[in-house]
Amino acid sequence: MREERSEMSENGDGDEGKDVRWSPDPGGTAPPKCRAAAGSPGGAAVPPPPFSDQVLENVLENVLCFLTSRGDRNAASLVCKSWYRAEAQTRLELFIGNCYAVSPARAIDRFRRVRSLVLKGKPRFADFNLVPMGWGARLSPWVAAMAPAYPWLERICLKRMTVTDADLALLACSFPSFRDLSLICCDGFTTIGLAAVAGNCRHLRSLDLIENDVEDDEDEVVDWVSNFPPGKTCLESLIFDCVGCAVNFDALLALVARSPFLRRLRVNEHISSDRLYQLMTRAPQLTHLGTGAFSSSVEVGDFEESLESAFHSSKSLICLSGFRDLAPEYLHTIYPVCTNLTSLNFSYAQITAEQLKPVITRCHNLQTFWVLDSLGDEGLQMVAATCKKLRELRVFPLDATEDSEGFVSDVGLAAISEGCHELRSILYFCQRMTNAAVVAMSKNCQELVVFRLCIMGRHRPDRLTGEPMDEGFGAIVKNCRKLTRLAVSGLLTDRAFAYIGLYGKLVRTLSVAFAGDGDLGLRYVLEGCPKLQKLEIRDSPFGDAGLLSGINHYYNMRFLWMSSCKLSLSGCKDLARQLPRIVVEVIRDNSEDDNSDAVGKLYLYRSLVGPRNDAPPFVKIL
Amino acid sequence: MSAETAKSSTESDVSGLDYEETELKLGLPGSSRIAGSELERKRGFSETVDLKLGGSESSDTRSSGAGKLPANKAQVVGWPPVRSFRKNALKSCTYVKVAVDGAPYLRKVDIEMYGGYQQLLNALKEMFSCFTIRKVGNSPNNNERRLVDPLNGTEYVPTYEDKDGDWMLVGDVPWK
């Protein structure tokens, strides 16, 4: 879990403004009020002296380099051509929220001095197998273009991109100052690519691999950890909890021992407790620790004492995760660090309220807590009683199926709302919910920015009143004035969407599944939410009329995803015709009939470069 | 999993018993590993001994699960919205403790490693090497296998304790 790097958090994107500013004329549409704007579209009759213009641009550049927020930068770039140029020269961090919104060539042409790149690929529903393999979002063209253009590139963050071993190898060899690599929910690479990065990036500071699909064939696993160069390293962060195969432990131990700046270490499940303490004793300065299995394959051993002692010595630990195969009898070893913990991730540990109690009651400073629903409403009540500073809570289902029992309910949610008034972000999976509990949360947790409630059984009403969940979600958008991200579920009618359109003035991301009555609901949202950037909808009865109601808004959005709704090919074609700068993709499942007019999956997004040329056969661009 | 002998079969093939006579319709919701309302059947001792974990072994391994899944709810792709990384990580709690009467210690077995009951039996035989799997019966077509202690000829019947604490005979429920 990353608190600082908010752009890449799994949670929300932390975007403040548009990424690539939508403007048909990149020179800026504002009339050149700035007197020194040479090269105004009309062309001045007498060319102004170049010297003063140059001075002004230099001054501008020196001022603009203090602007870090990309929203501010986008705004500055629109003032006039001079500002546009100055801003382009001074932008060091390039954020591209949709890799198909712009081409590598265009990005490189405008921004010449980029040091840090954030690039996002597939739509989020790809995480849930809704986007077929091979859809796109390949890193290759980007690395190929950047290698010659950005020699001083230091940092790359990728989310939902397909990254091959060759890409990683090219990356590792092309950027001599490269320091930070962060891959989140990516696929396509193996330990071969990791070895290339380890071996060639001499100044590597962080290698963060978060929830990637690292698919190695058993016999082709490479010992990438041994590939780090000998001698002291600059490593500050090494996160590899998603790597499926075991690493060379001796090499890892030696690496940790010679990495004096290491602050974050998150190991994979193959590291058992008897090995964990050895790593910890060589890195007592760690702030973030991913504990691996937290159990032992060795039947007998007194490493438990050593583990306890290691935690005692880890005075700087503030974030704990891992616990992939938690042996509850070892939990007591973490007690010494609990008071200092700001972040605790138990979401892979099947822990009961009883087992959690001695831990959570010590965690007074906890701000982020991820857990499985096995802790039950009772466990949540304990959290509410102790963790008064809680800002982010995620409760994941142990059994992620529709008919599962579900161990938490409205009771737990209400308890949290009563205890944790600082809550900013919640993700809650359950089977039973009431409007009353959601309303209570809306009133108690005024700081909420992210509210994601997933009632796993489809179309479930309020369990007490039998009514739709409209009023609950309505209260959330009405009372939580800072809300920017919302995910709805349960039985919902058009009324819920009316509320969202009426009150959700800051909502940027909205996720809808199995909800609504008809087109009106979609219209309410598209017409009512001026800040809407990302709208993802599945299995809801919205048709062409609803789709077309957003015609005035799609240029201001990053994307719209609609799957298993009631769209027709003719409707989508109509939309594509009316919006030339929107790329409208219809993604076909194998099972679908080619000639049918019904659209299974629609993905549309604004783009400066028109339809992409790497679309696979199952993608039709209208 | 031997594809060549895979066939969908009913429970009566597995046990060789006439189900109508012996069936106790005790529906235990959410039992064992099956996502659906599989009836858990408890047998008397005499039926236990007769259980043939034999040729219909492979038929237990239904590749698509089409035979036994209830038709009430179609599986929806990607719902609930939990990433497969997380689903797979939580699924890997498939280690099972195996105890044998008279053995001094228990063993742990990852049942995901095996494709069917026969493979599991073979693995158990490896672990508890005091047993052999012996062919029973005279017919050359008979593929029965049972765990047998070679010293005294006692047959060992694999059983397991299910979620509700009841002792069940291994082999009733389809492998999936």
Side-chain angles (χ1 to χ4, degrees):
Chain A
M1 296 182 283
R2 327 294 313 278
E3 291 81 28
E4 296 88 22
R5 304 218 184 138
S6 57
E7 320 102 0
M8 299 310 298
S9 77
E10 286 183 58
N11 175 2
D13 298 288
D15 316 350
E16 299 99 41
K18 296 177 202 164
D19 337 305
V20 178
R21 182 73 177 191
W22 175 247
S23 162
D25 175 14
T29 49
K33 290 209 176 117
C34 167
R35 240 174 263 134
S40 55
V46 177
F51 180 69
S52 66
D53 184 49
Q54 189 60 55
V55 166
L56 191 66
E57 279 203 22
N58 286 344
V59 170
L60 262 178
E61 285 185 18
N62 282 311
V63 170
L64 287 180
C65 57
F66 290 102
L67 272 187
T68 45
S69 137
R70 61 177 188 268
D72 292 344
R73 284 191 155 268
N74 290 340
S77 72
L78 286 184
V79 169
C80 60
K81 272 203 166 145
S82 183
W83 282 55
Y84 174 88
R85 275 197 302 270
E87 193 281 313
Q89 294 286 53
T90 54
R91 191 182 294 222
L92 299 179
E93 277 190 25
L94 184 56
F95 176 96
I96 298 175
N98 174 6
C99 63
Y100 288 123
V102 68
S103 67
R106 246 187 110 139
I108 286 168
D109 190 54
R110 176 174 171 184
F111 301 107
R112 300 290 173 93
R113 300 204 190 141
V114 166
R115 302 268 167 122
S116 158
L117 173 73
V118 177
L119 190 58
K120 297 191 183 181
K122 298 177 208 170
R124 197 181 73 97
F125 276 1
D127 290 352
F128 315 124
N129 301 331
L130 288 180
V131 176
M133 294 283 295
W135 174 83
R138 292 171 196 91
L139 182 65
S140 307
W142 291 91
V143 188
M146 288 191 308
Y150 293 149
W152 309 120
L153 192 67
E154 292 176 3
R155 184 175 169 233
I156 291 185
C157 298
L158 302 173
K159 192 167 187 181
R160 291 193 195 96
M161 298 284 297
T162 294
V163 180
T164 64
D165 290 331
D167 293 333
L168 289 176
L170 181 58
L171 191 154
C173 298
S174 306
F175 309 113
S177 314
F178 195 75
R179 295 155 97 169
D180 300 307
L181 180 64
S182 184
L183 302 178
I184 302 180
C185 299
C186 297
D187 64 303
F189 63 98
T190 69
T191 47
I192 296 173
L194 296 182
V197 172
N200 295 309
C201 300
R202 297 276 142 167
H203 303 285
L204 197 65
R205 206 168 46 178
S206 56
L207 178 58
D208 295 345
L209 307 169
I210 299 171
E211 291 207 16
N212 300 292
D213 210 358
V214 187
E215 280 290 327
D216 279 282
D217 272 331
E218 285 235 353
D219 16 320
E220 288 171 16
V221 172
V222 166
D223 180 4
W224 56 280
V225 176
S226 295
N227 241 34
F228 282 97
K232 266 209 310 203
T233 75
C234 323
L235 266 183
E236 292 177 20
S237 177
L238 181 61
I239 296 177
F240 64 94
D241 39 13
C242 64
V243 174
C245 42
V247 300
N248 178 337
F249 179 69
D250 292 330
L252 179 65
L253 200 57
L255 178 67
V256 168
R258 64 179 194 277
S259 301
F261 304 109
L262 195 66
R263 288 277 180 278
R264 303 176 197 235
L265 177 66
R266 282 167 41 178
V267 301
N268 65 12
E269 55 185 331
H270 293 279
I271 304 283
S272 51
S273 313
D274 51 300
R275 290 183 155 180
L276 180 69
Y277 86 84
Q278 295 180 57
L279 292 168
M280 289 173 71
T281 42
R282 279 159 184 75
Q285 74 281 6
L286 285 180
T287 56
H288 294 61
L289 176 67
T291 59
F294 216 72
S295 64
S296 182
S297 48
V298 177
E299 293 292 345
V300 178
D302 60 349
F303 64 86
E304 207 171 312
E305 250 182 61
S306 311
L307 192 61
E308 212 174 318
S309 157
F311 275 106
H312 247 292
S313 313
S314 299
K315 308 266 181 228
S316 314
L317 271 185
I318 55 168
C319 173
L320 273 187
S321 59
F323 307 104
R324 294 284 295 271
D325 190 24
L326 175 66
E329 58 268 26
Y330 298 157
L331 258 186
H332 68 93
T333 56
I334 73 171
Y335 291 171
V337 297
C338 286
T339 1
N340 292 332
L341 282 186
T342 55
S343 172
L344 179 58
N345 182 351
F346 269 152
S347 66
Y348 294 101
Q350 292 184 48
I351 194 171
T352 63
E354 247 342 278
Q355 293 164 335
L356 180 67
K357 188 167 183 178
V359 173
I360 207 72
T361 44
R362 289 172 156 85
C363 293
H364 302 277
N365 289 311
L366 211 56
Q367 293 181 20
T368 302
F369 187 46
W370 291 17
V371 69
L372 281 179
D373 64 353
S374 55
L375 90 166
D377 287 328
E378 197 191 327
L380 288 173
Q381 283 160 341
M382 289 177 195
V383 174
T386 320
C387 306
K388 297 301 179 190
K389 300 187 187 172
L390 198 67
R391 293 189 171 205
E392 178 178 326
L393 175 67
R394 296 197 192 189
V395 182
F396 292 97
L398 175 59
D399 182 1
T401 55
E402 269 189 83
D403 310 312
S404 67
E405 221 180 293
F407 301 106
V408 298
S409 70
D410 48 283
V411 172
L413 191 75
I416 291 289
S417 78
E418 270 151 45
C420 307
H421 295 289
E422 297 294 315
L423 204 63
R424 274 128 171 88
S425 170
I426 183 163
L427 170 62
Y428 197 86
F429 283 85
C430 62
Q431 290 285 23
R432 295 171 297 282
M433 187 48 59
T434 62
N435 281 305
V438 180
V439 170
M441 177 152 276
S442 77
K443 293 188 173 152
N444 291 333
C445 302
Q446 295 280 300
E447 303 297 318
L448 270 180
V449 172
V450 173
F451 184 79
R452 298 159 71 190
L453 176 62
C454 182
I455 303 170
M456 293 190 280
R458 291 174 272 164
H459 311 293
R460 287 247 171 108
D462 181 317
R463 76 164 173 96
L464 287 179
T465 66
E467 284 176 5
M469 292 300 299
D470 298 337
E471 296 306 313
F473 285 105
I476 289 285
V477 282
K478 184 173 175 194
N479 297 332
C480 301
R481 321 269 36 205
K482 303 184 184 178
L483 197 79
T484 60
R485 183 171 179 180
L486 180 65
V488 301
S489 61
L491 180 65
L492 293 170
T493 70
D494 281 345
R495 205 182 166 94
F497 297 99
Y499 284 138
I500 295 172
L502 185 56
Y503 296 114
K505 296 306 175 189
L506 295 182
V507 170
R508 295 170 37 86
T509 308
L510 178 63
S511 295
V512 178
F514 304 102
D517 294 329
D519 289 321
L520 201 54
L522 184 53
R523 218 181 101 195
Y524 283 142
V525 167
L526 286 169
E527 290 180 357
C529 301
K531 300 276 185 184
L532 193 61
Q533 292 280 291
K534 298 179 266 183
L535 181 55
E536 45 189 31
I537 302 173
R538 63 168 293 178
D539 296 273
S540 300
F542 303 132
D544 297 339
L547 178 69
L548 288 167
S549 70
I551 275 197
N552 296 328
H553 306 277
Y554 295 136
Y555 280 148
N556 292 327
M557 289 171 57
R558 191 186 295 174
F559 72 80
L560 167 68
W561 169 282
M562 288 178 69
S563 59
S564 306
C565 297
K566 293 203 174 344
L567 299 172
S568 76
L569 204 54
S570 25
C572 295
K573 280 182 175 166
D574 191 11
L575 182 81
R577 234 186 335 263
Q578 295 192 49
L579 297 176
R581 302 278 197 140
I582 295 282
V583 174
V584 180
E585 294 194 11
V586 171
I587 301 167
R588 225 181 357 257
D589 271 331
N590 290 338
S591 51
E592 272 170 35
D593 177 16
D594 266 4
N595 297 326
S596 137
D597 195 39
V599 161
K601 294 173 182 165
L602 169 77
Y603 181 52
L604 65 82
Y605 49 90
R606 63 187 173 191
S607 174
L608 292 174
V609 291
R612 56 191 176 113
N613 54 12
D614 65 351
F618 54 81
V619 170
K620 190 169 172 180
I621 299 184
L622 302 180
Chain B
M1 282 185 274
S2 45
E4 64 274 9
T5 50
K7 57 186 192 295
S8 68
S9 69
T10 59
E11 285 183 330
S12 53
D13 286 351
V14 175
S15 67
L17 297 171
D18 186 344
Y19 264 40
E20 273 72 6
E21 288 172 2
T22 57
E23 198 165 30
L24 298 171
K25 292 211 197 305
L26 296 170
L28 299 174
S31 51
S32 297
R33 310 176 275 276
I34 309 286
S37 47
E38 204 66 40
L39 293 181
E40 290 277 54
R41 297 187 59 254
K42 302 188 192 183
R43 300 163 197 253
F45 179 69
S46 54
E47 294 153 334
T48 303
V49 171
D50 281 345
L51 182 79
K52 299 181 180 85
L53 291 170
S56 25
E57 213 63 276
S58 45
S59 64
D60 282 336
T61 62
R62 296 185 179 89
S63 43
S64 62
K68 290 278 177 165
L69 274 183
N72 51 7
K73 268 222 162 112
Q75 297 295 323
V76 180
V77 175
W79 186 263
V82 173
R83 289 189 185 134
S84 41
F85 177 82
R86 178 171 293 281
K87 277 191 186 164
N88 293 338
L90 289 174
K91 223 176 45 167
S92 61
C93 310
T94 47
Y95 273 89
V96 172
K97 281 189 194 166
V98 181
V100 175
D101 276 351
Y105 48 78
L106 282 64
R107 298 300 302 267
K108 252 195 171 171
V109 157
D110 181 3
I111 53 183
E112 243 183 33
M113 303 252 321
Y114 308 106
Y117 285 115
Q118 191 54 57
Q119 290 180 33
L120 176 62
L121 260 188
N122 287 338
L124 291 179
K125 172 216 160 197
E126 297 290 317
M127 279 190 174
F128 297 98
S129 49
C130 40
F131 301 117
T132 55
I133 295 188
R134 202 190 280 166
K135 250 191 160 148
V136 175
N138 297 325
S139 156
N141 293 328
N142 196 327
N143 290 330
E144 287 174 27
R145 298 262 182 281
R146 295 183 199 179
L147 275 176
V148 172
D149 181 342
L151 287 181
N152 54 23
T154 315
E155 269 181 39
Y156 281 77
V157 181
T159 55
Y160 66 95
E161 191 173 353
D162 76 356
K163 243 171 65 164
D164 305 309
D166 301 319
W167 284 100
M168 312 296 298
L169 193 65
V170 166
D172 286 340
V173 177
W175 178 252
K176 275 194 114 114

